[in-house]
Amino acid sequence: MTEISSHLRDLKESLPDNCTLVAVSKTKPASDVLEAYEAGQRDFGENKVQELTQKAEELPKDIRWHMIGHLQRNKVKYIADFVHLIHGVDSLKLLKEINKQGRKAGRIIDCLLQMHIAEEDTKFGLDSEELNEILNGEQLKEMENVRILGLMGMATFTEDLDQVRREFKSLKSLYDEIKNSDHINVQMNTLSMGMSGDYEIALEEGSNMVRIGSAIFGSRS
């Protein structure tokens, strides 16, 4: 058993059954992705469009590719016909572009709305006012080629685990609130929070999708 498949097996054994593991393969060679694929992993996350399209071209076609990084509107067209889930929708303009490219590709593109929950300014994401504008606005109702499946958020990169827990808790509470209300083109079933350093806290706070890279592939070069 290789190191990658061994890490994967240990990780999957520690995750609850309802949790989807997205193996974050950014900056890793296609050979590493293939190793994880051969160990049974199918969901992989990339944060750069160029790297995502390149790997999608080279690797098995039944891989579910997740776009987890900040997505620029002019790059949506390159992934619209195959991306499994876009995690980082952080504006109405981006959502409109995804809908437009989904229409051209003849498919509905699944998305998560990225919330800004961290105390750092470097993280992208919507605030609650912008979220309400998207969910309750008329424009979403007319978008037939996007489907919002949930929320995504990144906690502050800090040693203060209580702060991380508070941030995850606030996102879960928001997720529950939306899940219990009725919106067109919204099917709340995915809460993507937690990475290699904080996924255990995220799981305790209700995450059902974790994005893990270094704990599978080793630290990035």
Side-chain angles (χ1 to χ4, degrees):
M1 188 181 278
T2 67
E3 205 170 317
I4 288 173
S5 56
S6 167
H7 288 160
L8 253 178
R9 186 202 56 196
D10 293 347
L11 194 52
K12 283 183 172 176
E13 282 175 3
S14 73
L15 295 177
D17 292 341
N18 73 333
C19 183
T20 301
L21 169 63
V22 178
V24 177
S25 46
K26 62 181 186 180
T27 78
K28 295 297 175 183
S31 56
D32 281 8
V33 178
L34 197 55
E35 214 173 295
Y37 174 88
E38 283 164 356
Q41 180 63 19
R42 290 295 178 272
D43 292 272
F44 291 90
E46 292 286 332
N47 72 335
K48 289 197 167 71
V49 167
Q50 193 179 347
E51 203 176 338
L52 176 55
T53 52
Q54 209 172 333
K55 284 176 179 165
E57 192 69 31
E58 287 174 42
L59 288 154
K61 296 301 170 227
D62 62 335
I63 285 177
R64 294 183 290 266
W65 291 105
H66 296 244
M67 177 64 200
I68 60 171
H70 178 61
L71 179 58
Q72 292 169 303
R73 296 202 302 281
N74 62 352
K75 299 277 178 72
V76 176
K77 59 186 175 220
Y78 301 114
I79 61 172
D81 60 345
F82 72 89
V83 70
H84 176 66
L85 182 63
I86 296 175
H87 285 233
V89 177
D90 58 2
S91 71
L92 181 59
K93 282 180 178 173
L94 176 57
L95 198 60
K96 281 181 182 170
E97 183 61 27
I98 296 168
N99 183 62
K100 176 181 157 188
Q101 298 302 334
R103 191 167 56 243
K104 284 184 184 173
R107 63 187 293 249
I108 293 170
I109 301 176
D110 288 332
C111 300
L112 302 178
L113 298 176
Q114 180 174 355
M115 299 304 301
H116 188 284
I117 58 170
E119 287 182 14
E120 300 162 5
D121 290 335
T122 52
K123 300 262 194 300
F124 293 97
L126 303 160
D127 59 31
S128 50
E129 196 177 316
E130 291 166 323
L131 176 70
N132 284 328
E133 275 173 26
I134 290 176
L135 292 179
N136 299 311
E138 289 302 309
Q139 294 184 64
L140 180 61
K141 295 173 188 171
E142 292 159 14
M143 293 187 202
E144 293 177 354
N145 293 87
V146 292
R147 180 169 47 210
I148 292 167
L149 291 189
L151 303 179
M152 183 271 254
M154 289 187 276
T156 305
F157 186 64
T158 173
E159 302 280 307
D160 182 354
L161 300 184
D162 287 336
Q163 181 182 340
V164 171
R165 189 177 294 281
R166 277 196 310 276
E167 290 168 358
F168 285 150
K169 206 183 273 289
S170 72
L171 187 58
K172 173 64 162 70
S173 153
L174 192 57
Y175 169 80
D176 288 340
E177 201 178 300
I178 299 165
K179 195 174 181 172
N180 294 324
S181 55
D182 200 22
H183 299 282
I184 292 171
N185 298 336
V186 178
Q187 293 175 13
M188 279 279 149
N189 57 29
T190 304
L191 181 56
S192 173
M193 57 185 196
M195 301 189 288
S196 290
D198 57 19
Y199 76 92
E200 286 157 321
I201 299 175
L203 288 172
E204 286 167 12
E205 294 306 327
S207 172
N208 61 13
M209 181 176 278
V210 291
R211 311 175 303 275
I212 296 181
S214 53
I216 296 170
F217 297 106
S219 55
R220 284 194 281 283
S221 48

